[in-house]
């Protein structure tokens, strides 16, 4: 097994975002590459490293030349988010290996790499995410990793569940512009429109991420991520709307917006 891990120095070269993740002990994305040809898996390794460097994400890559060695490491407690597996291996079937890994890790991503297209149907029995022919890997690997990353991010990003009698909706927190009180309901103004829930504004506030949302008035809560400017007791939002700020709340709102901008911009 060979290992490549992004160091703090390498993260500095990738920019502040990646450097900060390493310093804070951010969990790396873990990838296993398995192929019995060293030249090939080293090429894959370099391509993976290059892809994640471009999107400023920290990654740990382990390379294996033996399926049994990979199983041994997984049995011993190793975990990988993504497996890139050759199907035609000398010590065991890559498809059988994929099934074993799927049983041990139901939520991992398995990508098969092989020179033999006839294995494609068989490969999907291991619930593979993708099947890439070796003569096409250079143009398809980045696309596949990009699609996987989008799925991982969508699973990880916080959401707010709106449950009413007629529907159940998960709204990404980043898509919420602001909330306001309307009678006995709280109305969410989001990228996709308005949604209402029968709760108090204070109840909803307690359920939202503390640092992103602030009261600007007794009837309004805004997502600071979408605040463009504060002027004359009015907040200008990224969707073009203007939200009033009550005079008693004005100084506190200014301080909280400034604090958020200093730590995120």
């Amino acid at each position: 097994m060979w290992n490549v891990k992004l160091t703090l120095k390498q993260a500095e070269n990738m920019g502040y975002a990646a450097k900060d993740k390493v310093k804070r002990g951010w969990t790396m994305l873990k990838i296993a590459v398995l192929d019995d040809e060293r030249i090939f898996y080293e090429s894959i390794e370099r391509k993976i490293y290059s892809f994640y460097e471009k999107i400023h994400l920290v990654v740990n890559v382990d390379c294996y030349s033996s399926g049994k060695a990979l199983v041994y490491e997984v049995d011993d407690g190793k975990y990988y988010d993504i497996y890139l597996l050759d199907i035609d291996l000398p010590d065991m079937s890559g498809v059988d290996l994929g099934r074993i890994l799927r049983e041990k890790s139901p939520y991992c991503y398995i990508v098969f790499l092989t020179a033999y297209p006839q294995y494609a149907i068989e490969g999907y029995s291991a619930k593979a995410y993708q099947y890439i022919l070796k003569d096409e890997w250079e143009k398809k690997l980045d696309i596949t990793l990009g699609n996987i990353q989008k799925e991982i991010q969508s699973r990880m990003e916080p959401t707010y569940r709106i449950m009413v009698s007629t529907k159940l909706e998960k709204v990404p927190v980043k898509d919420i512009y602001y909330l306001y009180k309307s009678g006995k309901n709280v109305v969410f103004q989001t990228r996709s429109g308005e949604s209402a829930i029968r709760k108090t504004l204070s109840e909803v506030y307690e359920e939202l991420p503390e640092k992103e949302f602030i009261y600007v008035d007794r009837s309004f809560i805004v997502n600071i991520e979408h605040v463009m400017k504060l002027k004359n007791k009015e907040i200008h939002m990224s969707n073009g709307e203007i939200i009033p700020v009550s005079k008693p709340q004005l100084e506190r709102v200014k301080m909280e917006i400034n604090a958020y901008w200093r730590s995120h911009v």
Side-chain angles (χ1 to χ4, degrees):
M1 180 186 76
W2 290 264
N3 171 274
V4 171
K5 185 178 290 185
L6 192 68
T7 65
L8 181 57
K9 183 66 177 176
Q10 289 169 320
E12 287 175 347
N13 294 333
M14 288 168 59
Y16 177 81
K19 175 184 172 184
D20 188 51
K21 288 172 183 174
V22 176
K23 289 172 73 175
R24 290 187 286 107
W26 185 78
T27 302
M28 297 187 204
L29 194 68
K30 297 177 176 64
I31 302 176
V33 179
L34 170 63
D35 195 278
D36 60 335
E37 296 181 23
R38 182 164 185 163
I39 293 175
F40 184 71
Y41 69 62
E42 286 181 345
S43 297
I44 294 286
E45 178 187 81
R46 286 192 295 270
K47 187 76 167 175
I48 293 170
Y49 183 78
S50 173
F51 171 80
Y52 285 101
E53 185 174 9
K54 289 174 187 173
I55 62 173
H56 306 295
L57 284 181
V58 185
V59 65
N60 186 84
V61 182
D62 289 340
C63 294
Y64 298 84
S65 58
S66 160
K68 290 180 180 178
L70 175 54
V71 172
Y72 176 84
E73 292 290 337
V74 172
D75 284 342
D76 199 42
K78 273 273 191 180
Y79 173 82
Y80 294 102
D81 302 285
I82 303 171
Y83 293 92
L84 300 174
L85 308 176
D86 186 8
I87 288 181
D88 189 29
L89 297 166
D91 61 339
M92 67 186 302
S93 161
V95 174
D96 290 342
L97 173 60
R99 294 192 190 105
I100 293 169
L101 297 172
R102 175 62 64 211
E103 288 179 7
K104 295 178 182 295
S105 184
Y107 300 107
C108 71
Y109 293 87
I110 295 174
V111 177
F112 284 120
L113 300 159
T114 187
Y116 305 102
Q118 63 267 30
Y119 287 135
I121 295 175
E122 185 182 358
Y124 286 114
S125 66
K127 298 181 180 176
Y129 179 81
Q130 184 71 52
Y131 182 98
I132 300 176
L133 293 175
K134 285 189 173 181
D135 60 0
E136 298 178 341
W137 77 268
E138 288 188 89
K139 64 181 180 182
K140 289 194 173 181
L141 185 58
D142 277 8
I143 295 170
T144 300
L145 293 175
N147 290 336
I148 289 173
Q149 190 57 39
K150 287 176 185 176
E151 286 197 15
I152 290 173
Q153 287 175 335
S154 67
R155 288 208 314 255
M156 293 176 65
E157 70 177 19
T159 60
Y160 186 88
R161 287 183 297 171
I162 297 176
M163 292 179 284
V164 294
S165 58
T166 56
K167 69 175 181 178
L168 171 61
E169 181 181 7
K170 277 205 311 184
V171 181
V173 166
K174 65 179 179 60
D175 288 352
I176 301 171
Y177 294 116
Y178 63 89
L179 307 81
Y180 65 92
K181 181 181 176 182
S182 177
K184 294 183 178 181
N185 294 326
V186 173
V187 179
F188 289 73
Q189 187 67 45
T190 73
R191 291 184 193 274
S192 56
E194 288 190 347
S195 296
I197 187 171
R198 197 174 181 83
K199 285 187 176 183
T200 67
L201 202 56
S202 60
E203 285 175 329
V204 174
Y205 179 73
E206 290 299 318
E207 297 167 346
L208 290 167
E210 179 180 347
K211 294 179 181 178
E212 281 79 15
F213 291 85
I214 59 169
Y215 271 97
V216 298
D217 180 86
R218 286 196 307 175
S219 300
F220 281 90
I221 294 172
V222 302
N223 184 347
I224 307 180
E225 186 177 342
H226 290 290
V227 172
M228 304 306 293
K229 68 178 177 180
L230 170 58
K231 183 179 180 182
N232 299 329
K233 294 190 293 184
E234 291 181 333
I235 286 180
H236 295 248
M237 304 298 292
S238 62
N239 66 342
E241 295 191 57
I242 297 174
I243 309 298
V245 180
S246 65
K247 189 173 181 180
Q249 305 289 346
L250 185 58
E251 286 306 312
R252 177 188 57 80
V253 170
K254 280 182 182 178
M255 289 176 60
E256 292 193 29
I257 291 174
N258 277 328
Y260 182 88
W261 282 352
R262 280 197 301 270
S263 61
H264 289 79
V265 177

